Amino acid sequence: MSVSTLSYVIWGAIGVAALGLWGLSYLRPTALAHPADVVEKLATHPVGRVVLVLGFGWLGWHLFAR
Amino acid sequence: MRSGPTALVVGGVAYSLIAASTTPFTLPADVLTGLAIVAMAVLVIVRWPLHTRSRSSSSSSVSTSTSSLSSLPAGTAGSGGRTAHRYLPWLLLLIVFVAWELFNYLVHGTRANHPTFSSITDANDRFYILKALLFMVWLASGWVIIGRGSRQRAPRRAESTPGETHP
């Protein structure tokens, strides 16, 4: 397996893990927070809300403008 | 479907289709992306409370601006660390994501061998529809963020007022 392939496989595994956690959060909500709950926790935290908004702006600018 | 949310979705889709047609490092791309960021900032100022709200079950007089526990979502603050573990897998995933991104960014070698999240999305941007979808997801995530931090969210949810367009 080449380095490139391995890199993409790991990226894919991270993506699958995210989707898996997402699905699991609906099956076992008492054990795992929904993504929306995670966002809400950050959005209602004094520091987390700042990080969240700045992160949103940076991500958009980085992906679509620069 | 109510007219408010419908208009919002149609507007968001149209905006994404237009934004996806722009090229990075050009004025149109800067303007369309910047407008969305400015709109987000304005909505945050208008809709979010100045101080983080109290989410404790007793709604006591304890200040919410400095206490991280009191700003947890409903059902978590009162039970303290009992439900904190619900967030742990997401935190671990974020750590792995950031670590892998940094490794690929800093390691010696070509970008083809060590793709970053950005380089993967750059490849995605070669396809107009995929770029438009990515822009839509970005806009939608902003709307979710605004809704989740909104001071009016809890009362509105309880009242379920018809015609409301909040997320």
Side-chain angles (χ1 to χ4, degrees):
Chain A
M1 184 182 284
S2 68
V3 174
S4 176
T5 304
L6 181 63
S7 298
Y8 281 107
V9 165
I10 293 175
W11 275 120
I14 291 172
V16 168
L19 290 174
L21 286 180
W22 193 324
L24 203 60
S25 70
Y26 285 94
L27 295 174
R28 305 187 66 179
T30 55
L32 185 62
H34 292 294
D37 290 339
V38 178
V39 172
E40 182 163 337
K41 181 171 184 176
L42 288 169
T44 54
H45 188 278
V47 177
R49 64 200 316 206
V50 176
V51 173
L52 202 57
V53 173
L54 289 179
F56 172 84
W58 175 83
L59 185 66
W61 192 257
H62 181 58
L63 292 181
F64 306 112
R66 298 288 153 177
Chain B
M1 188 184 282
R2 294 174 298 177
S3 61
T6 304
L8 200 64
V9 170
V10 170
V13 170
Y15 194 89
S16 299
L17 290 172
I18 295 169
S21 68
T22 64
T23 305
F25 298 98
T26 63
L27 184 61
D30 289 355
V31 170
L32 288 172
T33 307
L35 277 176
I37 294 170
V38 169
M40 170 79 169
V42 170
L43 284 170
V44 161
I45 292 168
V46 170
R47 299 193 60 167
W48 282 14
L50 186 59
H51 298 286
T52 50
R53 62 195 157 175
S54 172
R55 304 302 304 268
S56 62
S57 56
S58 62
S59 65
S60 65
S61 59
V62 176
S63 170
T64 60
S65 61
T66 56
S67 169
S68 59
L69 270 184
S70 61
S71 62
L72 293 173
T76 59
S79 51
R82 188 167 60 84
T83 55
H85 70 276
R86 294 174 69 232
Y87 299 91
L88 195 58
W90 291 108
L91 178 63
L92 291 175
L93 186 65
L94 178 66
I95 291 171
V96 169
F97 177 91
V98 172
W100 186 236
E101 171 77 359
L102 286 176
F103 172 79
N104 282 299
Y105 183 73
L106 297 173
V107 72
H108 291 290
T110 64
R111 190 56 67 220
N113 281 340
H114 301 285
T116 60
F117 182 72
S118 303
S119 63
I120 293 172
T121 56
D122 284 347
N124 172 79
D125 288 352
R126 294 189 195 119
F127 304 94
Y128 171 69
I129 290 299
L130 292 180
K131 185 179 179 183
L133 277 173
L134 191 64
F135 201 94
M136 266 182 251
V137 168
W138 178 64
L139 283 184
S141 68
W143 190 244
V144 169
I145 289 169
I146 292 166
R148 288 284 158 175
S150 173
R151 68 170 78 90
Q152 296 160 343
R153 185 171 168 270
R156 283 189 179 188
R157 181 198 281 164
E159 292 164 8
S160 186
T161 308
E164 292 289 308
T165 59
H166 63 90

